[in-house]
């Protein structure tokens, strides 16, 4: 089944909001064999919405829209889609009453009058109950095809997709049995190696795994190698992908750290949990980003006890016990200092594993000898310690994100060695 | 001037990569009076690229593509665009030599053979010199119109856009003088108030400021109120927007904290710098995210000295001096504990300003009395201290991000009071 996505919002087109919804919808639909073949973004204008949705319906007969369902004046998606399908808008008294109760239950006082229009529904539409916000989703069917209208607020869109849309699509897929073909993908995640160098390592393996296709996806976390099997049935696709991955993994070790959605921090936490080690961190230039990455993993508290953000030199000395002459002699971005930081933080928190990062994230602070992007990393695992100096390119946040990933990888590899 | 954007990459369409490039390009072009009227995303396939780019050229005669310029097999944008414009590909020996030298200079060893195709250029094309990576951009002109090809790697795309594309578009705009009309926007950033409640406060001001249009953009940082002036010249647009903003600001104070790209952390750091106060933070559920937000601001080291990530109860007691009976009696997510945390961290770092956060980010750890999303915040500014309990909705990262924003705002309002 093919579908088109139309994301609506002048703010998306003007670039003031990044469209994360589109990626989520594509992924969720692929998992049930629906392929997004085109994505179009248009502004809030009536004419633009009408033409883009009509074109998409004409090409595939199946469209999902996001955005423009809220209570404010620029929210006109429902009105325009109702016109395309030739349906009048009726006030849904029950829905209005539920909306009123919801507002009162949130302790925000009575419902503002502007929310009333959210209770108007195109006649005959299936209302997709939004328990996570005030804008309901809608499922319209008619001569133009099927249109599913979802709110633009990411959390609400995700919940409606999962609980109201995907189950309905699956039901439909079963009725058209034998026709639904899947796109299945598997990602091998790597870090510490560039795109071209990885492609050289993959080399002729690529020929052997055809018709599985490869895509190289570089990001601050490393290069993901995405394997895709097209048009097979679910079982066949899984087999083909696993065979291809089995050929590729030996070629790309030790850069490979996990598959699919694997997060390097989660991989590391799992290893530490198995070994019964606790973890603490000491951060200078990353200012908390390493701790944030680690604690983004649910259940991280079983391994991670805490850390010190030692942004100033005084804090490095007072909180981590880094000897001041060491800082004076080598500078705060240096191998002796990062080693003292990781030793200090593991001692302070009484843990067996630690990571420390100190560097120059920019835009200021660089010198000829230590340009912006110079970062020193250290990791401790039991009685082993390792330090490494790197130079990362990119802006301030990119240098910091690459430093965090390199710090996590340093400890992962130390534990594996 | 109108333009269409075509972002190319099966990984974008499948949703494995979020398209941040599109937003950046739209913003950058709007600032020189070029309006992105449609954005289309297609996969890496030859037919899809050809049809989407041809359609876009037919509608507006002006298109920017991103992606598909790398050295790997799925990178075919240059080839397809050269065909659309009827141009053969020639090997650019000079470029090849420069590419070889670049690889050697990076200390990565000799250039992999797969990079050679990056030196093939459509005959007569303007090569946009990419000093930040290996894939050059291209500017093609011919019967179909103008096509600008940019790489998909965000940092390289941004640099090429700023240094190679925008100046060429500005030159062209001047030649077509009097015809270029601007879209100018101004954003009033608010936090601590919902979308509908903000719309109620704006109320009839919206009528008075027409033809300036308003859009409400909710995110984890709050609700941005975006004012847009359409089709005026630069000077007129700025006046119209400033007048509208002047009408709106009194209606939305004290939720308003800044304009446009203002970051709440940067606003707060500026205020503390003016007052000569230093800042430290104590984080539990946010695990470093608050420090990360603060140190994302260049120059934050003038104000921010560091912090403690006290993820475990032991760390709260040992590192922040939170009395253990306090934790036993009230729980680690409570008003007395967050107050002890902020007092502990300001004392420890010897600073006048501090923020502390403790909460239940989920998905586990919630109880009937303290459900997931329960967060206690505290701020100290000189001899003033304030605490507040909140309940945030959303997933783990959303609860954490909202907590950080609320913590920053608590200190901002305390300083302003």
């Amino acid at each position: 089944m093919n579908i088109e996505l139309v994301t609506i919002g002048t703010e998306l087109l003007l670039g003031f909001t990044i469209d994360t919804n589109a990626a989520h919808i594509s992924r969720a639909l692929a998992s049930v064999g629906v392929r997004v073949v085109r994505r179009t973004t248009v502004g809030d204008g009536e004419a633009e919405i009408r033409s883009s949705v009509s074109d998409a319906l004409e090409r595939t007969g199946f469209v999902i829209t996001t955005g423009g369902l809220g209570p404010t004046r620029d929210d006109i998606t429902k009105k325009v889609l109702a016109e395309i399908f030739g349906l009048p808008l009726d006030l849904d008294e029950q829905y209005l009453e539920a909306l009123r109760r919801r507002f009162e239950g949130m302790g925000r006082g009575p419902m503002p009058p502007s929310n009333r229009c959210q209770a108007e529904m195109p006649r005959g539409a299936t209302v997709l109950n939004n328990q996570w916000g005030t804008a309901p989703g809608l499922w319209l069917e008619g001569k133009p095809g099927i249109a599913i209208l979802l709110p633009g607020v990411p959390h609400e869109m995700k919940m409606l997709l999962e609980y109201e849309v995907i189950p309905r699509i699956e039901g439909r897929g079963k009725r058209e049995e034998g026709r639904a073909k899947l796109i299945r993908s598997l990602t091998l995640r790597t870090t510490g190696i560039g795109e071209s160098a990885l492609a050289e390592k993959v080399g002729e393996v690529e020929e052997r795994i055809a018709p599985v296709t490869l895509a190289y996806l570089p990001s601050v976390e490393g290069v993901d190698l995405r394997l895709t099997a097209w048009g097979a049935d679910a079982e066949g696709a899984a087999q083909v992908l696993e065979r291809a991955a089995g050929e590729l993994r030996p070629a790309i070790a030790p850069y490979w750290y996990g598959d699919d959605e694997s997060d390097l921090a989660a991989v590391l936490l799992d290893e530490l949990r198995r070994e019964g080690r606790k973890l603490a961190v000491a951060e200078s230039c990353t200012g908390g980003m390493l701790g944030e990455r680690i604690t983004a993993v649910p259940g991280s508290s079983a391994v991670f006890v805490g850390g010190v953000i030692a942004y100033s030199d005084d804090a490095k000395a007072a909180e981590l016990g880094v000897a001041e002459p060491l800082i004076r002699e080598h500078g705060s971005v240096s191998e002796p200092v990062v080693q003292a930081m990781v030793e200090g933080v593991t001692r302070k928190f009484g843990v067996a594993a630690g990571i420390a990062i100190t560097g120059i994230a920019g835009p200021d602070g660089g010198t000829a000898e230590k340009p912006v992007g110079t970062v020193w990393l250290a990791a401790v695992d039991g009685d082993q310690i390792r330090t490494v100096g790197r130079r990362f390119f990119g802006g301030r946040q990119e240098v910091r994100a690459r430093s965090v990933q390199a710090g996590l990888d340093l400890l992962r590899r130390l534990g594996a060695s």
Side-chain angles (χ1 to χ4, degrees), chain A residues 5 7 19-27 36 39 66 157:
Chain A
L5 214 54
T7 63
D19 190 359
T20 55
N21 284 347
H24 180 86
I25 293 173
S26 293
R27 265 200 319 260
V36 175
R39 189 163 86 211
T66 62
M157 180 282 298

Side-chain angles (χ1 to χ4, degrees), chain A residues 285-303:
Chain A
C285 66
T286 48
M289 193 187 260
L290 176 59
E292 189 281 318
R293 244 328 266 290
I294 291 165
T295 57
V297 181
S300 46
S301 59
V303 171

Side-chain angles (χ1 to χ4, degrees), chain A residues 337-415:
Chain A
V337 167
V338 82
Q339 180 165 343
M341 284 171 69
V342 81
E343 286 167 349
V345 83
T346 48
R347 199 170 47 234
K348 189 182 185 75
F349 284 86
V351 294
I355 303 171
I357 303 176
T358 179
I360 301 157
D364 303 319
T367 62
E369 201 196 340
K370 291 178 185 173
V372 166
T374 303
V375 177
W376 277 96
L377 306 142
V380 160
D381 186 51
D383 53 5
Q384 297 185 87
I385 184 164
R386 195 171 292 170
T387 57
V388 64
R390 298 289 295 274
R391 172 142 179 239
F392 296 114
F393 291 86
R396 182 179 177 86
Q397 283 299 80
E398 194 171 332
V399 166
R400 291 170 10 121
R402 288 185 192 278
S403 301
V404 165
Q405 187 77 355
L408 294 167
D409 201 46
L410 189 66
L411 181 54
R412 175 187 72 91
R413 291 223 211 171
L414 189 59

Side-chain angles (χ1 to χ4, degrees), chain A residues 19 25 32 42 51 78 101 128 143 182 188 200 237 253-254 263 268 344 356 375 377 382 409-410 417:
Chain A
D19 190 359
I25 293 173
V32 291
V42 293
S51 83
K78 182 169 61 184
R101 277 198 307 272
L128 308 176
K143 219 173 138 209
L182 297 174
L188 303 178
E200 296 292 309
D263 172 65
L268 176 65
V375 177
L377 306 142
D409 201 46
L410 189 66
S417 68

Side-chain angles (χ1 to χ4, degrees), chain A residues 307-321:
Chain A
V308 171
I309 305 170
Y311 211 55
S312 67
D313 286 350
D314 286 354
K316 287 180 189 75
E319 302 308 323
L320 294 169

Side-chain angles (χ1 to χ4, degrees), chain A residues 118-199:
Chain A
Q118 293 189 283
E120 292 177 352
M121 306 296 173
R123 191 170 296 167
T126 303
V127 176
L128 308 176
N129 183 20
N130 183 355
Q131 302 168 48
W132 308 272
T134 57
L138 288 168
W139 179 298
L140 305 184
E141 286 199 48
K143 219 173 138 209
I146 299 173
I148 303 163
L149 284 64
L150 298 178
V153 179
H155 183 65
E156 298 177 24
M157 180 282 298
K158 282 181 192 171
M159 291 300 176
L160 276 172
L161 193 68
E162 180 175 348
Y163 292 105
E164 298 286 337
V165 176
I166 297 284
R168 283 184 172 80
I169 289 179
E170 283 189 307
R172 182 168 300 268
K174 279 179 201 123
R175 289 199 298 277
E176 301 178 10
E177 67 172 307
R179 284 184 49 209
K181 286 289 184 181
L182 297 174
I183 310 155
R184 280 284 159 88
S185 283
L186 189 155
T187 300
L188 303 178
R189 307 205 70 184
T190 75
T191 194
I193 185 170
E195 183 180 356
S196 320
L198 188 67

Side-chain angles (χ1 to χ4, degrees), chain A residues 101-122:
Chain A
R101 277 198 307 272
R102 208 184 133 70
F103 260 86
E104 283 154 18
M106 283 163 79
R108 284 212 206 154
M111 185 183 84
S114 56
N115 284 76
R116 184 187 164 91
C117 66
Q118 293 189 283
E120 292 177 352
M121 306 296 173

